Every structure is written in C-alpha cells, then in structure tokens.
Amino acid sequence: MKLFTKLYDMALVWAKHRHAERYLAGMSFAESVFFPIPPDVMLAPMSLAQPSKAWRFASFATIASVLGGVIGYLLGFWLFEPVVEPLIAQMHWQEKFDVALNWFKEYGVWVVFLAGFSPIPYKVFTIGAGVLQMAFLPFLIASAIGRGARFFLVAALMKWGGAQMEKKLRQYIEVLGWGLVILIAVAYFLLR
C-alpha cells in the first residue's frame, strides 16, 4: 500500500493551488499557538513545486509563525489562568509545560530560539514566555531568527535540491512516512 506516495502527490498538487500561500501562512500562524502539524509539511512541497518562489514561501511562513508566536505570548501573559491553564490540565500536559518553564528559567531567551528552529513544539514556549513575562523584544527577535532559520533552511534544501531532491523524496517517501508514524507512536507511549 503506497499511502504516503499518494499523500505526497496530493501535497505537490495543493502546493500549486492559487491559495497555497494563504494556507501556508494560516498553518504557520496556527502552529505557533495551538495547531499540532508543523508548516514544513506544506512549505517543502511548495518550494519543490515552485522553486522560484521558495524564498517568498519561507518569508510567509516566518512572518505568520512569528505573529502566531506573539498571540501565544499574549495568551500566556494575559489569559493563562482563565484559558490556557485549564486546557493544559485537561490535556494532561502539566509536566511537559513545567519542563518548558524550567528550561526558560535556566536558559532564558535561547530556549525560544531553539524551540523556533527545532521540532520542539514552539507553541509551548511562546505561551511559556508570556507566563514568565519574558522581555518582549528579545522574545520577538529570538522567534524571528529561530523560525526564519528553520523555514529558510527547508526552502533552500528544496530549491537547491530541485528535481533530484523530489526524485529522492519520492523514492523514500514510504519509508520516511511510516518511520515517522512509528516515531510518533513510540513518543506517545513513552511520554504518557
């Protein structure tokens, strides 16, 4: 069964849709506040499908993600107790959130940069920065650098890899897809 090959082909078709940039921006914004799927899954095929627009796509993703990060910061700053804290308790994420807050206390603004660049859930750190009332300007700068570096790296790899990268991705998409499913399942059961 070639499930991920079909999904990959659909992503390439959607990447050429006339509203693809809007969808990418919306996904990037939402992922910084609450959405679980990272925008890279849309940015990569868009950059592959239209390499001449790769930098534009990375810019949209970065700006929208940082704006979403600002909303996450404001949620943590002003609405943590009435809105966010009950959701964290309901989802049983208190321990993970406490770990994030401890990282903030130990590493400060560097945690925002790391969360922006890595696959660590950025949303946890945007809200955590607001809860701890981190200085806003360093938060904004670290977010912009971390998210920008990540999205421009993805766009660059797809743009420079071009047809060869697309060919390699197509060749290994099933292995990568099922490997990711297994990693998510293992992580879910280990972090419960």
Side-chain angles (χ1 to χ4, degrees):
M1 180 166 100
K2 297 219 175 213
L3 171 69
F4 292 99
T5 303
K6 289 178 184 176
L7 291 173
Y8 177 73
D9 289 337
M10 283 191 314
L12 287 176
V13 169
W14 292 339
K16 293 180 182 176
H17 190 275
R18 64 186 176 110
H19 297 300
E21 288 177 347
R22 291 180 191 160
Y23 300 149
L24 174 64
M27 180 183 235
S28 299
F29 180 88
E31 187 266 341
S32 295
V33 184
F34 65 89
F35 197 62
I37 300 171
D40 310 60
V41 299
M42 194 167 179
L43 175 62
M46 286 175 68
S47 297
L48 263 179
Q50 299 180 64
S52 64
K53 293 184 176 181
W55 304 136
R56 178 182 168 97
F57 299 149
S59 297
F60 273 102
T62 301
I63 292 166
S65 183
V66 171
L67 289 174
V70 169
I71 297 300
Y73 179 95
L74 294 174
L75 281 171
F77 194 88
W78 283 323
L79 298 173
F80 183 72
E81 287 183 19
V83 176
V84 179
E85 193 170 37
L87 290 173
I88 289 173
Q90 184 180 5
M91 303 297 273
H92 305 288
W93 290 347
Q94 190 61 52
E95 285 181 42
K96 295 172 192 158
F97 192 71
D98 290 341
V99 168
L101 294 179
N102 286 330
W103 285 6
F104 264 114
K105 291 173 185 170
E106 193 168 335
Y107 303 110
V109 73
W110 292 106
V111 170
V112 176
F113 169 77
L114 179 64
F117 185 75
S118 72
I120 295 172
Y122 177 60
K123 64 192 96 357
V124 171
F125 292 92
T126 64
I127 294 168
V131 168
L132 294 176
Q133 299 181 0
M134 177 184 209
F136 184 72
L137 188 58
F139 165 80
L140 196 61
I141 292 169
S143 291
I145 293 171
R147 295 310 261 182
R150 174 177 171 169
F151 297 141
F152 277 91
L153 177 62
V154 169
L157 289 172
M158 298 301 112
K159 180 180 174 74
W160 293 329
Q164 290 286 26
M165 178 71 78
E166 198 277 332
K167 190 176 177 181
K168 282 292 181 193
L169 275 173
R170 179 170 299 289
Q171 181 181 354
Y172 294 107
I173 196 70
E174 290 299 322
V175 172
L176 292 170
W178 288 112
L180 183 61
V181 167
I182 290 167
L183 282 174
I184 290 169
V186 168
Y188 173 78
F189 287 110
L190 289 177
L191 298 174
R192 283 181 64 180

